Amino acid sequence: MLSLNTIMWIILIAMAAICGYNILSSILQSRARKTSVQIVTTVHDNPSTSRAFTWHSRNPNSRDAQLQITKGNVGDFEHSSVTSYEANHSALRLEGQDIAVHRVVTADLKPSTMYSYRVRDSSEGDWSEPHTFTTAAEEISEVSFIYVTDSQADKVNEFRLWENTMKQAFARFANPDFVVHAGDLVETAAKKSAWSHFFNASMFWIGKTPIVPVVGNNDIKDIGAARYASYFHLPENGAEALKGTQTNYSFDYGCLHIAVLNTEKCIKQQTKWLEADLAGTHCEWKIMVMHRPIYGGTITKKLVDWSRIIDKYKVDLVLQGHNHVYSRSHPVKNGRVTGDGSDTVRDHEGAIYVVVNASGPKFNKLKEDQFYHKLHFQNKKQIYAGISISGKTLTYQAYDVDGQLLDQFTIQH
């Protein structure tokens, strides 16, 4: 016969087990209600006070998607300081299926402040896992970012190379202000799975750090720009002929002005736009980004007119892609090499044109050196670069995924 003490212990143990089961069930249910969403963040307006977000949902009729945001690194959104935004909605038909595209621009944020946010597809839907980001300082005195290109793949295992490249880049250049991708995000634009693999491999950073995307030829081949455009929410200040494509735009980030161009179409319209855009900025530093290179592994003749505008408005650096080799020019001005041959460019001697090697699986055969080449090689390894600006100095460093420093230079004003 059991003693009274033994019976009491059995009862207490049973009660503890029941409570533990209920708590665990509650946690699991809570986690189950949080959905995995590919959220892409971009620069849209003032980076000190705003941030843009884009995500997709399978229900094309979900017109009441929302984003909630609050200060700090928190998981609790059930309090009065949470701000809610209704997303802008558009529908897109992909591979015979209608999907919804949701976009939000948050405004009136505080500079130098960490925020947590989450999204959902409808007022009755489940919330995503929370993400965090930090706004830029009110007075941006320094800028740093990562530059990559040509992740260009279709399969999961291929995009693991892209993911590894970015993990190496973030480990070396921690907390960048943004990431520039100079085009060909995927190999086959028509494959929904390729885009899903790209963003899945990018999820560890792209919901926190803005991407500055550049359209490549493979990103729109055979299907146009609609799918590419659906993943981003970028400034609509480009050439009128490219409105809505998310492929031609510019923005200021403190002392830096970045102009992004589409090398696949509307070249003449962008030439006029570029002149007006660069004439209108008062930033100390100017960088252009495009996919096909003016001066890269090869010369793209249809783009040479842009180099005249680059020279006229003293653009410092041109970041390019497409060649799947590594290429860095001497300073070039008026179609000629300038400077003293060193790794320091002074007083706007000429623009530097760079192509980093691919960040994905594909490498091309090296072609003959051109008159402008300072460096030109094929190492058959993924490469990333870190670029930082402080005061009158821009510093550039390029590494391969094995951690070897392959190139570095500075530009002095």
Side-chain angles (χ1 to χ4, degrees), residues 153-165:
D154 280 338
K155 300 176 182 178
V156 171
N157 62 317
E158 295 172 328
F159 277 112
R160 290 196 184 105
L161 297 170
W162 153 249
E163 183 177 15
N164 179 58
T165 303

Side-chain angles (χ1 to χ4, degrees), residues 391-406:
K392 299 289 186 179
T393 302
L394 180 151
T395 303
Y396 172 103
Q397 293 181 312
Y399 288 83
D400 68 23
V401 287
D402 291 336
Q404 182 177 355
L405 177 62
L406 302 175

Side-chain angles (χ1 to χ4, degrees), residues 288-361:
M288 280 175 52
V289 194
M290 64 189 72
H291 183 60
R292 296 182 192 265
I294 299 176
Y295 298 118
T298 56
I299 298 173
T300 307
K301 293 181 180 179
K302 69 177 182 179
L303 304 178
V304 170
D305 280 349
W306 291 355
S307 69
R308 300 186 183 99
I309 300 172
I310 289 168
D311 294 341
K312 179 178 178 180
Y313 293 98
K314 299 180 180 179
V315 172
D316 298 283
L317 182 61
V318 183
L319 305 177
Q320 310 160 117
H322 189 64
N323 291 146
H324 297 252
V325 300
Y326 190 89
S327 168
R328 193 247 290 186
S329 75
H330 292 281
V332 178
K333 193 170 188 178
N334 298 322
R336 297 179 180 179
V337 168
T338 64
D340 59 8
S342 72
D343 288 322
T344 300
V345 181
R346 298 174 179 88
D347 301 323
H348 301 288
E349 293 172 310
I352 297 289
Y353 295 78
V354 181
V355 176
V356 290
N357 211 343
S359 56

Side-chain angles (χ1 to χ4, degrees), residues 209-244:
T209 304
I211 185 171
V212 178
V214 180
V215 69
N217 53 298
N218 284 286
D219 297 323
I220 57 175
K221 185 178 179 181
D222 298 329
I223 65 169
R227 168 170 276 168
Y228 173 89
S230 75
Y231 294 107
F232 309 112
H233 194 15
L234 300 161
E236 283 284 2
N237 58 0
E240 185 66 25
L242 292 170
K243 187 175 182 179

